[in-house]
């Protein structure tokens, strides 16, 4: 006997309760002000409009949408209360755009057959973005400054690279032979793109984001070699793991000077230098305790990148470690929510694995870096950290998860033929 899923109105009611409780806590702590009214109206309006839109759209699963609404509302409240109430309008707007980007990317890839046929377009978009980074960001930079707004193209490389790494079984069966060696052209193309990313990240001096891309590539390789009809010997698997270890050792040995400094520096002995952000981040977490100093009561907002690179510590300081951990769990529940309605195509399973690797690795790099467990990397937490490019990129990735939950597995021609067969049999 199948259990009935939780209905959309109940989920929406729970989201409204969560956001209302947080907003009430802000008002009780910081007082009733114009900024508090703006924040309250904006968050509740977004919940209402988002709920109305989702109720009108036919869907097979709404878990990703519901979790995304919850996380975006919490994120807006967090960003608006660091150091006092000040409605984070920019973050709020990009949150709305991220939600829209989620719906658009879902429509783009919900049909795995069509998405697979569009792979030449994904490769083209990849090299356009790489070219933009090389030629438009300035001297070995990662930002394009348009005056009124700055864009980080490398953030948009992530969803495009996930699309490139996703593969279908039919693609893996299209093998070619060269000098007696069997190979799959799509696999070589993916490895080539991975090599381009490694060179690009080194050129931009942004090695902190490299583990995220390598994690996506790793899942892409796993899905290519372990698809249903393929067999691989244990000896070859051990050989691949040994090669990966050798690559890691060589990378650490010949890492640039600024990376070596972070690897071997004592943050407490250099509190005003390399350890400045991490020392303040750890102190803020300790002072916040389990339930925090209260919204707006922290001091970490005075430290550079408190709302981006060390945002986890800012949340823990004002809202408590309990809230920080809960936020992490909710963000990670986005990729985990796919398990509630497992993907019904190999291609969508690859997309979901790629998105999960991006979210998990970025969360780990940000939080462990802030807590000095690993060297500080400066990557963002999806949907929580301030940043337009990161927010839009994360929204696109969330759309891939939604497509994995509610796919369309036939083309229009296929549906027409199925309908004709139904009429003939009737």
């Amino acid at each position: 006997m199948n259990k009935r899923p939780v209905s959309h109105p109940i989920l929406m009611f729970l989201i409204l309760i969560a956001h209302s409780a947080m907003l009430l806590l802000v008002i009780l702590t910081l007082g009733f002000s114009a900024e508090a009214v703006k924040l309250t109206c904006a968050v509740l309006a977004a919940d209402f409009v988002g709920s109305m839109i989702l109720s009108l759209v036919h869907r097979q699963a709404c878990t990703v949408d519901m979790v995304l609404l919850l996380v975006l509302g919490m994120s807006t409240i967090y960003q608006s209360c660091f150091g006092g109430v000040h409605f984070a309008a920019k973050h709020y707007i990009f949150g709305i755009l991220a939600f829209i980007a989620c719906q658009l990317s879902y429509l783009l890839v919900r049909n795995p057959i069509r998405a697979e046929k569009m792979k030449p377009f994904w490769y083209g978009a990849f090299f356009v973005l790489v070219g933009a980074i090389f030629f438009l960001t300035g001297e070995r930079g990662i930002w394009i400054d348009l005056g009124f707004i700055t864009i980080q193209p490398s953030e948009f490389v992530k969803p495009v690279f996930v699309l490139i790494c996703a593969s279908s079984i039919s693609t893996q069966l299209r093998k070619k032979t060269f000098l007696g060696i069997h190979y799959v052209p799509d696999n070589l193309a993916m490895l080539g793109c991975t090599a381009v990313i490694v060179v690009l990240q080194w050129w931009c001096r942004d090695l902190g984001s490299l583990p995220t891309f390598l994690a996506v590539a790793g899942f892409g390789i796993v899905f290519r070699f372990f698809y249903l009809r393929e067999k691989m010997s244990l000896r070859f698997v051990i050989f691949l793991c040994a090669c990966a270890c050798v690559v890691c050792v060589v990378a650490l040995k010949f890492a640039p000077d600024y990376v070596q400094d972070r690897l071997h520096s004592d943050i407490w002995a250099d509190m005003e230098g390399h350890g400045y952000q991490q020392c303040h981040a750890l102190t803020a977490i300790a002072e916040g305790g389990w339930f925090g100093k209260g919204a707006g009561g922290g001091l970490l907002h005075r430290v550079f990148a408190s709302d981006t690179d060390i945002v986890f510590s800012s949340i823990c300081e004002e809202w408590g470690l309990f809230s920080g951990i809960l936020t992490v769990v909710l963000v990670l529940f986005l990729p985990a929510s796919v398990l509630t309605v497992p993907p019904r195509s190999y291609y969508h399973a690859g997309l979901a694995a790629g998105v999960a690797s991006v979210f998990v690795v970025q969360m780990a790099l940000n939080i462990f870096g802030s807590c000095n467990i690993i060297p500080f990397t400066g990557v963002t937490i999806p949907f929580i950290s301030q940043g337009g490019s990161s927010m839009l990129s994360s929204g696109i990735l969330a759309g891939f998860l939604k497509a994995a939950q509610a796919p369309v597995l036939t083309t229009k021609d296929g549906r027409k033929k199925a309908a004709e067969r139904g009429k003939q049999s009737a």
Side-chain angles (χ1 to χ4, degrees):
M1 182 176 178
N2 295 328
K3 295 182 179 179
R4 293 181 61 187
V6 180
S7 66
H8 171 268
I10 295 177
L11 289 173
M12 202 62 238
F13 179 68
L14 294 175
I15 292 173
L16 285 171
I17 288 178
H19 289 164
S20 298
M22 292 181 69
L23 293 167
L24 180 61
L25 186 61
V26 171
I27 293 174
L28 292 176
T29 304
L30 299 174
F32 196 80
S33 63
E35 292 296 314
V37 172
K38 287 181 186 178
L39 176 61
T40 301
C41 293
V43 172
L44 296 182
D47 288 344
F48 178 77
V49 174
S51 175
M52 291 299 101
I53 293 174
L54 294 178
S55 65
L56 296 174
V57 177
H58 175 70
R59 63 196 181 283
Q60 293 174 279
C62 62
T63 312
V64 172
D65 292 316
M66 294 292 101
V67 177
L68 186 56
L69 277 177
L70 176 60
V71 170
L72 289 175
M74 293 177 63
S75 177
T76 301
I77 296 172
Y78 287 146
Q79 291 288 346
S80 300
C81 295
F82 293 147
V85 173
H86 48 279
F87 176 50
K90 180 180 177 182
H91 188 79
Y92 177 75
I93 292 172
F94 275 108
I96 294 174
L97 294 177
F99 187 80
I100 296 173
C102 171
Q103 311 312 315
L104 294 177
S105 64
Y106 156 68
L107 294 175
L108 188 65
V109 301
R110 62 178 179 168
N111 187 328
I113 301 173
R114 184 181 63 185
E116 188 77 22
K117 290 180 179 179
M118 293 178 66
K119 206 146 199 180
F121 174 78
W122 310 143
Y123 283 111
F126 175 83
F127 285 104
V128 167
L129 290 169
V130 169
I133 295 172
F134 271 115
F135 299 111
L136 301 179
T137 57
E139 186 177 354
R140 302 186 70 175
I142 59 175
W143 296 91
I144 298 177
D145 190 354
L146 300 178
F148 62 96
I149 191 173
T150 55
I151 302 174
Q152 189 176 358
S154 60
E155 285 293 333
F156 298 104
V157 174
K158 293 174 185 176
V160 173
F161 190 56
V162 170
L163 288 168
I164 288 174
C165 289
S167 177
S168 64
I169 295 178
S170 61
T171 302
Q172 297 307 303
L173 296 177
R174 299 170 192 158
K175 294 183 178 180
K176 296 184 179 296
T177 304
F178 179 74
L179 297 178
I181 300 175
H182 300 286
Y183 69 95
V184 177
D186 187 64
N187 295 351
L188 294 181
M190 189 209 74
L191 293 175
C193 289
T194 304
V196 170
I197 287 176
V198 172
V199 174
L200 178 68
Q201 296 298 108
W202 175 85
W203 184 82
C204 293
R205 293 168 293 193
D206 185 31
L207 297 179
S209 300
L210 187 58
T212 303
F213 288 106
L214 293 181
V216 176
F219 272 104
I221 293 172
V222 168
F223 268 74
R224 279 164 162 75
F225 281 111
F226 289 91
Y227 68 96
L228 299 179
R229 298 186 183 182
E230 186 69 39
K231 294 182 179 180
M232 182 181 294
S233 66
L234 179 61
R235 185 178 301 175
F236 186 59
V237 174
I238 296 174
F239 172 74
L240 290 178
C241 293
C243 290
C245 293
V246 171
V247 170
C248 291
V249 172
V250 173
L252 292 174
K253 179 69 175 178
F254 296 99
D257 292 338
Y258 72 93
V259 176
Q260 297 287 355
D261 290 340
R262 293 182 181 181
L263 287 171
H264 302 98
S265 63
D266 182 356
I267 64 170
W268 299 108
D270 190 19
M271 295 179 62
E272 299 300 323
H274 291 297
Y276 181 78
Q277 288 174 300
Q278 288 171 295
C279 288
H280 282 81
L282 286 170
T283 303
I285 294 174
E287 291 181 349
W290 279 106
F291 301 104
K293 296 179 177 179
L299 299 175
L300 193 60
H301 66 278
R302 301 175 182 175
V303 177
F304 176 72
S306 62
D307 57 352
T308 54
D309 300 346
I310 53 176
V311 68
F312 177 76
S313 299
S314 298
I315 294 172
C316 291
E317 182 185 28
E318 297 192 359
W319 295 84
L321 183 60
F322 179 80
S323 295
I325 295 175
L326 178 62
T327 303
V328 171
V329 171
L330 287 174
V331 174
L332 292 180
F333 187 73
L334 275 169
S337 64
V338 176
L339 298 177
T340 61
V341 183
R344 290 188 290 165
S345 74
Y346 199 82
Y347 182 82
H348 282 135
L351 281 182
V355 175
S357 64
V358 172
F359 282 13
V360 171
V361 172
Q362 284 199 192
M363 293 278 284
L365 290 174
N366 184 288
I367 296 171
F368 293 161
S370 299
C371 298
N372 198 35
I373 297 176
I374 61 174
F376 193 66
T377 57
V379 299
T380 59
I381 296 180
F383 300 114
I384 304 300
S385 297
Q386 183 79 254
S389 299
S390 174
M391 187 73 81
L392 293 177
S393 172
S394 299
I396 295 171
L397 291 170
F400 298 167
L401 295 174
K402 184 177 178 180
Q405 273 199 316
V408 172
L409 301 178
T410 57
T411 60
K412 290 183 178 179
D413 293 338
R415 287 196 294 269
K416 289 180 180 178
K417 291 179 180 178
E420 291 175 357
R421 287 195 298 269
K423 290 180 181 179
Q424 292 175 359
S425 60

